[in-house]
Amino acid sequence: MERAGDIARIRKDRYIVPKDADLFTGVIQFHASGAAHVLNEAPGEPDLYISAENTWTAMHGDRVVARVSTDRRGSLGDPRVPPATRREGRVIRILERANPTIIGTLQKSKNFFFVVGDDPRFVHNLYVPKPKDELKARPGDKVVARLEEWKSRHVNPEGVVIEVLGRAGDPGVDMLSIIRKYRLPEKFPDDVLAESEKTSSTVTPSEAARREDLRDRHIITIDPDDARDFDDAIEVQPTNRGWNVSVHIADVSHYVRPKSALDREAVSRGNSVYLPDRVIPMLPESLSNGICSLKPNVERLAFSVFAEVNRQGKMFKVRFAKTVIKSAARLTYKQAFAILQKPPIDETSRRVHAAWEVSALLRKKRFEKGSLELDFPEVKVWLDDKGKPVRLEKVENDISHQLIEELMLLANEAVARELKLTKQPTVYRIHEKPDPEKLAEYQEVVATFGIRAGNLSKREELTRLLASVRGKPYEYAVKIGLLKSLKRATYSPQPLGHFGLSKDDYAHFTSPIRRYADLIVHRSLERLLGLSKIGPASNELASLSEHISTTERIATDAERESTKLKKLEFFQQQLSGRKGATFPARIIEVRNYGLLVELPDFLLTGLVHVSTLANDFYVHDPARSRFIGRKTKTSFQAGQMIEVAVARVDMFKQQVDFQPV
């Protein structure tokens, strides 16, 4: 009960109800500034702000108890935002450490050893005794250290080195550090591998005979260039009334049975994790890249959604079935995009064009209904055989990606609606409404770009804001700011709807190879259709939803940090190897110490320090979010494009500084 936050211990043997004493229990999330927020676990309730000096010995992700001290007026340290009321507090107890280990670099002073943590949010050096001889640890090694004692934030924590990962900077050590930091699994247990090896590598005739046979249909897959696990396949056929849409999803639940070794490991992992140099899959490769993957020209088992969509974009006559398919073509996004640029010439290209027709209509209708247009490009890091970044490729969310996205949204919504109407226990994908206070703060931020926004707690004002910045230099900055103001999407047994997508019914159904949430939804639908008597237990869904929400957050953080490390390494190579390389950058924010810029081609932010603005003395004008030169009147302001060169890369702080050219 204490860990859950239902009660709080105030003395050795005295407990109270937290709300009766202004106590606050939750997970603490640190910011780069050293301040933090304790996340409120009650739906719709605001988080608690913790200043750096009041975080005690808490670390990022710890479960803590904080005492609400006062409601203060402040703007979270942002000089552009006018004061607003917020709740503040101080951490008084750590209930559970998120991670008892610290990943960092071993260093040695004259008299003692210490570990400098990789995470810039962990600002203290960890004192350690001399590592054991068998570890063969040397200063400069990347190590794993166990936190032993930390009584006060005013003294350094103490620990002991338990593992040496290798020399900092050696190939592969950075990704191994990420794996250790986020406690990601490196291999499957023997019993899980043994169970996966018993799985047939082909579809048996007896199982195919029990299913709806779609092997003669022209079904296609569209995925990234380097994809190996194909979760979904599609088929769209025009009709007099609109389109027949079929979405076929790998039938993972047929192979991964509840309570089996495979299932227990999949629950533990929660999802696959995609790092620049490897994939840490939820399921063993024989399933994820083998029998479950909807590869072309081979028979595969699928769970299919069939729907009719009329010319007004309305979905009707939806049905679900277990099927056997044989994909006729495997396309990459680039190939699909090329097909859509020309008139159709064969059956595959006709199917792609038909799919885009219905997807474009569904997309148009979704945004008309109030769905937030927050699509962001991604950057893929290409590595050489030694793990060194050789190229950064920006992947846009073009019409080939949108085509698949809309059809997957359609399938996810159809399944969620059916399960909700029949009150079938399952896990929904939810995105709650944002806090009005955060939207009010965000409204002041967008005002610095010269944007007059209405009441952003109204959906129509949010969509109007996003439409107004489309194609503007500051579009990315405004969208990122909005994303930070919104709540994070999670999983829940309650169908609370999805604010961002503007959907009342939404669940994850279309990626069961890489997400356990989808596997739960498959089992719920199986039970609804009478295909199985076993489904997810109602009393387990709340804890299961919390667990897979956590594993998803961990995976996202690991993926982002690993990609950022490789980006920084790429720019470090530019600094040392190719003098004079310049990059276009957009100013996204102007602060009194410099310009925060983003390189749109690489989706990387950095700082141009005011000291590097040469040939004049520049004065900060916070009201207009700009610097202006006293003599030349040259200005640098938010939204402006400038050319920059790399000035410095700090791998420890995970920061890159630029200088204007």
Side-chain angles (χ1 to χ4, degrees):
M1 291 178 72
E2 188 180 2
R3 283 199 300 273
D6 299 328
I7 59 175
R9 179 160 55 94
I10 55 173
R11 289 196 297 275
K12 186 175 181 181
D13 59 350
R14 292 288 186 271
Y15 292 84
I16 59 169
V17 177
K19 65 180 181 180
D20 294 342
D22 284 333
L23 297 184
F24 196 102
T25 301
V27 173
I28 189 166
Q29 301 279 302
F30 276 81
H31 312 302
S33 64
H37 276 90
V38 179
L39 305 184
N40 198 325
E41 294 161 348
E45 294 297 319
D47 301 330
L48 183 69
Y49 176 77
I50 311 288
S51 61
E53 62 269 19
N54 288 325
T55 55
W56 196 35
T57 62
M59 297 193 298
H60 185 73
D62 287 352
R63 191 172 181 77
V64 303
V65 177
R67 187 181 298 280
V68 180
S69 55
T70 183
D71 283 352
R72 291 189 179 178
R73 295 180 62 79
S75 58
L76 303 186
D78 194 330
R80 302 170 308 165
V81 183
T85 301
R86 65 173 179 200
R87 287 207 298 171
E88 288 194 19
R90 59 186 177 87
V91 175
I92 62 172
R93 181 166 292 120
I94 288 121
L95 295 176
E96 197 171 2
R97 288 286 186 197
N99 196 340
T101 58
I102 305 295
I103 314 300
T105 305
L106 182 66
Q107 303 286 3
K108 186 179 185 301
S109 69
K110 184 177 180 180
N111 298 316
F112 53 85
F113 288 86
F114 59 97
V115 174
V116 180
D118 284 352
D119 192 336
R121 292 169 299 202
F122 185 69
V123 298
H124 300 266
N125 292 334
L126 179 71
Y127 288 179
V128 296
K130 181 181 178 182
K132 294 179 180 179
D133 292 340
E134 56 264 32
L135 290 175
K136 298 180 180 178
R138 297 174 295 160
D141 282 348
K142 193 71 71 175
V143 300
V144 181
R146 184 175 61 243
L147 181 66
E148 295 279 303
E149 186 176 28
W150 194 10
K151 294 181 178 180
S152 168
R153 199 161 192 85
H154 301 294
V155 298
N156 284 67
E158 297 178 18
V160 59
V161 174
I162 59 175
E163 184 183 4
V164 176
L165 303 179
R167 299 296 290 173
D170 281 359
V173 173
D174 53 353
M175 293 300 104
L176 187 56
S177 298
I178 293 288
I179 290 170
R180 290 290 188 275
K181 176 179 177 179
Y182 292 97
R183 292 192 285 180
L184 303 175
E186 284 190 271
K187 61 181 182 179
F188 287 95
D190 292 340
D191 60 337
V192 175
L193 293 175
E195 191 174 299
S196 67
E197 288 165 4
K198 292 178 183 176
T199 305
S200 174
S201 60
T202 58
V203 173
T204 62
S206 59
E207 181 58 35
R210 284 194 287 266
R211 295 170 173 255
E212 192 171 326
D213 193 343
L214 307 179
R215 286 174 286 192
D216 61 342
R217 303 266 285 264
H218 200 90
I219 293 168
I220 62 174
T221 62
I222 304 176
D223 290 278
D225 296 10
D226 56 349
R228 297 170 64 191
D229 53 340
F230 308 127
D231 282 287
D232 54 87
I234 62 168
E235 181 190 15
V236 178
Q237 294 176 305
T239 66
N240 293 332
R241 300 178 63 183
W243 301 267
N244 284 334
V245 177
S246 303
V247 178
H248 312 284
I249 306 301
D251 190 5
V252 176
S253 62
H254 176 78
Y255 299 102
V256 180
R257 311 305 296 175
K259 310 302 181 184
S260 65
L262 276 169
D263 186 55
R264 287 194 300 271
E265 184 65 16
V267 171
S268 175
R269 296 182 177 221
N271 41 254
S272 298
V273 184
Y274 297 84
L275 304 180
D277 68 337
R278 74 193 78 188
V279 176
I280 301 175
M282 185 179 78
L283 299 172
E285 193 169 329
S286 59
L287 275 73
S288 60
N289 297 346
I291 188 61
C292 291
S293 187
L294 305 182
K295 296 179 178 179
N297 304 315
V298 292
E299 295 178 357
R300 289 290 185 261
L301 302 182
F303 209 162
S304 301
V305 178
F306 303 93
E308 291 186 37
V309 179
N310 64 21
R311 294 290 175 183
Q312 289 72 48
K314 184 175 177 60
M315 174 175 56
F316 61 100
K317 286 189 179 179
V318 179
R319 71 181 182 91
F320 314 94
K322 290 288 186 96
T323 58
V324 57
I325 69 171
K326 191 175 183 179
S327 171
R330 188 271 185 193
L331 300 176
T332 66
Y333 283 122
K334 291 176 181 177
Q335 290 171 329
F337 183 82
I339 287 172
L340 291 171
Q341 304 310 303
K342 303 174 183 177
I345 56 173
D346 57 16
E347 189 61 25
T348 296
S349 59
R350 278 190 288 273
R351 297 302 177 98
V352 173
H353 276 264
W356 173 239
E357 286 175 5
V358 67
S359 294
L361 177 61
L362 291 170
R363 186 174 177 85
K364 178 174 177 288
K365 293 296 181 182
R366 178 162 64 87
F367 289 126
E368 286 177 356
K369 189 182 174 184
S371 180
L372 302 181
E373 193 169 358
L374 289 172
D375 297 327
F376 292 99
E378 296 180 357
V379 171
K380 179 173 177 56
V381 182
W382 292 93
L383 309 177
D384 62 17
D385 54 2
K386 293 183 179 179
K388 295 290 184 183
V390 293
R391 180 165 62 94
L392 303 181
E393 179 187 3
K394 188 176 181 181
V395 181
E396 297 282 358
N397 187 44
D398 60 33
I399 57 176
S400 65
H401 293 75
Q402 294 166 11
L403 180 159
I404 292 298
E405 179 185 15
E406 294 303 325
L407 296 183
M408 297 307 112
L409 290 175
L410 178 144
N412 287 336
E413 183 178 19
V415 171
R417 184 178 298 167
E418 188 72 15
L419 294 174
K420 177 182 168 182
L421 289 173
T422 56
K423 298 182 178 179
Q424 190 69 221
T426 195
V427 167
Y428 294 91
R429 182 66 167 176
I430 66 165
H431 186 217
E432 296 179 82
K433 292 180 180 179
D435 293 327
E437 295 86 355
K438 289 193 175 181
L439 288 179
E441 289 178 5
Y442 173 67
Q443 188 169 5
E444 299 298 333
V445 172
V446 300
T448 64
F449 295 103
I451 302 170
R452 289 187 177 182
N455 182 0
L456 295 182
S457 61
K458 296 181 179 180
R459 182 181 292 274
E460 58 268 24
E461 291 295 337
L462 270 180
T463 55
R464 188 177 293 120
L465 168 65
L466 293 174
S468 70
V469 301
R470 193 176 300 131
K472 300 287 177 62
Y474 44 76
E475 178 184 6
Y476 183 78
V478 170
K479 283 185 173 182
I480 283 289
L482 176 56
L483 199 62
K484 290 179 178 178
S485 301
L486 299 178
K487 292 188 177 180
R488 195 165 191 158
T490 58
Y491 294 104
S492 170
Q494 303 302 320
L496 302 178
H498 198 291
F499 177 80
L501 295 173
S502 190
K503 292 186 181 294
D504 295 327
D505 310 307
Y506 198 66
H508 275 163
F509 174 79
T510 54
S511 296
I513 294 177
R514 62 184 180 89
R515 289 189 307 225
Y516 194 79
D518 304 58
L519 192 50
I520 298 171
V521 173
H522 277 228
R523 289 170 179 168
S524 298
L525 189 57
E526 282 178 351
R527 184 164 60 184
L528 175 64
L529 299 176
L531 301 174
S532 171
K533 294 181 180 180
I534 303 174
S538 301
N539 61 345
E540 296 177 354
L541 288 177
S543 60
L544 194 53
S545 297
E546 184 178 352
H547 170 70
I548 58 179
S549 295
T550 299
T551 59
E552 179 197 42
R553 186 169 60 249
I554 290 170
T556 300
D557 290 348
E559 289 166 359
R560 285 176 179 167
E561 185 174 343
S562 61
T563 300
K564 186 174 184 180
L565 284 177
K566 289 301 181 185
K567 287 182 183 179
L568 292 174
E569 187 180 351
F570 176 82
F571 281 101
Q572 198 171 44
Q573 292 172 182
Q574 302 297 308
L575 187 62
S576 59
R578 282 193 252 168
K579 300 287 185 181
T582 63
F583 310 95
R586 178 176 290 117
I587 301 171
I588 58 175
E589 196 172 329
V590 179
R591 296 184 177 176
N592 59 354
Y593 52 82
L595 313 172
L596 291 180
V597 299
E598 188 228 3
L599 274 58
D601 293 338
F602 306 112
L603 303 184
L604 182 76
T605 57
L607 175 70
V608 174
H609 196 272
V610 64
S611 62
T612 65
L613 303 179
N615 304 324
D616 205 341
F617 183 85
Y618 286 87
V619 179
H620 183 221
D621 180 1
R624 295 179 176 81
S625 190
R626 67 176 182 174
F627 274 115
I628 186 163
R630 279 184 177 174
K631 295 179 180 178
T632 63
K633 302 302 179 185
T634 302
S635 67
F636 294 92
Q637 62 188 60
Q640 182 179 338
M641 292 294 296
I642 60 174
E643 199 76 12
V644 299
V646 180
R648 185 175 69 95
V649 177
D650 189 328
M651 296 298 290
F652 168 64
K653 292 184 178 179
Q654 297 183 16
Q655 295 174 348
V656 56
D657 291 347
F658 298 99
Q659 58 190 27
V661 178

